Amino acid sequence: MKFSAKRRKNRKKALRTSPKHSTHSLPVWKKWGLKMGAYDAGRRSESSHEPHHDIRRMNDSWANRFRHANLLDLPFSDYRAAAESYVKGYCKAKGMPQYNGLLLPTNKSVAAIVSAGKDEAAALRLLQQIETLALAEIICIIGDQNDGLFDRIREQSKATVFYYDEPIDQEICRALGAKLSQSDILLFLDERSEVKAEELLPFINEIEKGTDIALTDVSPYLDHFVRRDAVTVTNQFVNYCLGRKDLRANALTAVPHALTRKACETIGYANLAMPPKAQVSAILQGLRICPAASIDIMKGNQKRRSDSEEKAVLRDHVEAMRLLIERRGSRLNYPDVRRKRHFAEGGGSYSIDQHHYSKLQRQGNAAKLHSLH
Amino acid sequence: MKRSRHSLRLNTAAAPKVSVIIPVYNERRTIASVIAQARLVHPLTEVIVVSNGSTDGSKQIAKRMGAKVLSFDQKLGHDVGRSVGARAAKGSILLFLDGDIVIDAKELRPFVEAVNRGVDVALNAYLGSTKSKLVHKVVLAKYALNHLLFRSDLKGASMTTIPHAISRKALDAIGAESLSVPPKAHAIALQKGLHVAPVHYINVGSTNRWHSDRMNDPLGKLIVGDHVEALHWVLDQKYDRSGNNDTDYKRLRAIMR
């Protein structure tokens, strides 16, 4: 099978983020959205003249309406049609200026934390994509010494940009972004992600269902085991040791992923900078973690980590295992009850048997000699 | 039983160069051939069979084949025979085999030759099944341990797998008792900077041998536990070869403040 054909075949096995067929047609959703938007606008009190607040309240009503109608698994095209029409109806009824962001299926505030640095064009493209969502905050942390990037992002996007005095890894960018943000749900991305805005909705959905950490499911896109990279293999091993065979190779080392504020605080912001350790900490403390959507994050070979980046992640894995061993013992849940180790240490006794053949025997004599030590 | 010419060859207990160590529990169908081949790896070879309470005549066969048989009346547990055999070994090169896998002498010689050339731990280059997306927990553990010890180049090669050969220097560095927990011996060898390398490929189908019968795969889980124990040993050492963990952490704390 050609490589691309295999990928396509695997996409069918990917986590379905929305049902195959719509329950209603597009015009039906549009009509519904328009009607609900206008109705909800009327029920709310006067607008506060602060567009930021108004949009939040509109999203709030939308989220309630959405949850009430049990629409969590709607296909994206229907969702967008309904949401856009809702906005139309609501803004018109309220007398608000038309808003062109995509409403999110949650009452909670959602922030996107983006680490940027090396690929300027990709970073700007990504920011453009996520700006179409009704996010409460977009925080961009620049991890590389790229002077122009800071200015260009400030010019071309609505994101709040930060950079640090020295070059920092993207994992540290994530931790810093989480600490700086004030939102309840955090979406972590980096410029290499190249995701479309709609691909982020399932992560929010998963959190709405009660999950604390929503991961990307990389399973359908993985190579044969022997061709996998060190980080993927080690992720799977750590998940296995945690008793989470079901997670396979999915881990916080891959973006995008989403965390609740509670998850960030439980794990600790510093630990967020070591994703494997964060994952162990999360699971040991009973946080709910599962995959939300399958995304091919390795598309195009430029996504692969460099040797030094890989080594850095492996060092984090060592720390993750250190934490796990501290909590659950040097053999975790796999005790050694079978071995009689004192024999290995030279204890115990045994008998030694050995034939000694003399030269006589080689000449055909039958005499057999044996001595016992 | 066909008596081979080899059984009459002079035994070289006196000053062997190579000690072949074979833990055995009831392998009467294969043990004669295993020993026959083992004796041919080098002109000065001793074969040590560690019998874990064998009751099917394996001991007698081994003795007849010229091996030195160390007899226990009980089962010692997985791989404990390796430690016991290693303690009794007199050679400067130790080759470890299993009693139920017959391997031709010419396939075993590369391991001995490698150690002779200066390799401290000469491993089997067998890596398990190559075309699957699923992986057995033991294969996963072997690969992961190598990655965590920053020897991704070794892939799935491990002292868990036979055949492998070690130098006396390696035996002294690792310690005979650690050979009972093969992943730990592997980790010690890497941590102490011994020359560890895969030198020859022998398909031993290692993962299929046990997991077909037991539902729970207790042996597989034991081996995963061994790998974690191995990692724990490395973490306990003051200076692990991954380097600079402390400085990274301090910097991280400084940034996060």
Side-chain angles (χ1 to χ4, degrees), chain A residues 173-187:
Chain A
C173 294
R174 290 182 221 164
L176 280 174
K179 199 167 182 197
L180 292 165
S181 156
Q182 294 174 319
S183 303
D184 299 318
I185 299 179
L186 301 161
L187 284 168

Side-chain angles (χ1 to χ4, degrees), chain A residues 63-349:
Chain A
N64 290 332
R65 179 64 61 186
F66 187 74
R67 206 179 305 129
H68 193 72
N70 215 355
L71 300 175
L72 217 49
D73 291 318
L74 212 56
F76 180 67
S77 48
D78 294 353
Y79 180 87
R80 186 172 46 190
E84 282 174 356
S85 311
Y86 186 92
V87 169
K88 218 159 142 179
Y90 189 101
C91 290
K92 187 163 179 201
K94 260 281 204 263
M96 272 167 66
Q98 271 298 326
Y99 175 66
N100 52 16
L102 183 63
L103 296 179
L104 301 174
T106 176
N107 291 75
K108 308 187 190 77
S109 49
V110 183
I113 317 279
V114 180
S115 23
K118 294 195 176 70
D119 189 343
E120 188 178 311
L124 291 168
R125 273 199 306 271
L126 179 67
L127 287 168
Q128 213 175 30
Q129 263 297 307
I130 61 180
E131 269 158 28
T132 59
L133 298 170
L135 295 166
E137 300 170 287
I138 302 178
I139 298 178
C140 183
I141 316 263
I142 301 182
D144 241 347
Q145 300 291 32
N146 189 332
D147 298 316
L149 186 56
F150 180 80
D151 296 322
R152 276 189 281 284
I153 292 183
R154 283 187 69 189
E155 284 166 31
Q156 297 182 34
S157 97
K158 295 183 246 166
T160 319
V161 209
F162 297 87
Y163 71 89
Y164 196 74
D165 314 2
E166 346 161 337
I168 51 178
D169 297 333
Q170 52 152 300
E171 288 87 2
I172 301 186
C173 294
R174 290 182 221 164
L176 280 174
K179 199 167 182 197
L180 292 165
S181 156
Q182 294 174 319
S183 303
D184 299 318
I185 299 179
L186 301 161
L187 284 168
F188 294 88
L189 300 156
D190 79 62
E191 61 200 4
R192 291 187 284 189
S193 294
E194 275 194 32
V195 286
K196 294 200 283 246
E198 69 203 64
E199 294 182 290
L200 297 173
L201 291 181
F203 292 88
I204 300 174
N205 268 342
E206 192 57 48
I207 304 256
E208 280 293 287
K209 288 181 192 164
T211 307
D212 295 302
I213 301 176
L215 301 174
T216 295
D217 179 21
V218 297
S219 312
Y221 306 106
L222 290 179
D223 241 332
H224 295 309
F225 178 77
V226 293
R227 286 194 258 158
R228 293 179 194 167
D229 62 286
V231 172
T232 305
V233 171
T234 324
N235 277 336
Q236 191 171 358
F237 179 68
V238 175
N239 283 337
Y240 184 88
C241 289
L242 281 162
R244 291 300 302 266
K245 199 166 122 174
D246 60 297
L247 288 177
R248 293 183 269 182
N250 297 327
L252 289 170
T253 48
V255 280
H257 55 255
L259 269 68
T260 56
R261 173 66 50 190
K262 169 190 163 200
C264 292
E265 283 169 2
T266 308
I267 293 169
Y269 292 103
N271 284 336
L272 285 179
M274 293 186 282
K277 188 172 178 184
Q279 185 145 332
V280 170
S281 176
I283 293 174
L284 286 177
Q285 296 188 77
L287 291 175
R288 292 177 56 171
I289 173 170
C290 71
S294 305
I295 300 179
D296 190 358
I297 62 171
M298 296 290 249
K299 196 162 41 172
N301 276 320
Q302 67 269 26
K303 302 289 168 53
R304 300 204 178 260
R305 291 188 176 87
S306 69
D307 276 345
S308 60
E309 286 172 338
E310 192 172 81
K311 270 211 167 79
V313 183
L314 288 174
R315 285 202 290 267
D316 292 344
H317 277 115
V318 172
E319 292 311 309
M321 288 303 294
R322 193 193 297 268
L323 175 61
L324 183 55
I325 288 170
E326 268 170 33
R327 295 293 155 80
R328 290 201 177 156
S330 67
R331 289 188 62 102
L332 308 181
N333 292 331
Y334 314 110
D336 181 9
V337 292
R338 291 170 159 213
R339 287 195 186 98
K340 301 186 175 129
R341 295 201 185 196
H342 65 283
F343 285 106
E345 287 151 15
S349 60

Side-chain angles (χ1 to χ4, degrees), chain A residues 179 240 331 339-340 351, chain B residues 71 75 137 226 229 256:
Chain A
K179 199 167 182 197
Y240 184 88
R331 289 188 62 102
R339 287 195 186 98
K340 301 186 175 129
S351 59
Chain B
S71 261
K75 287 192 89 170
K137 56 175 83 69
D226 289 351
E229 189 182 329
M256 292 306 296

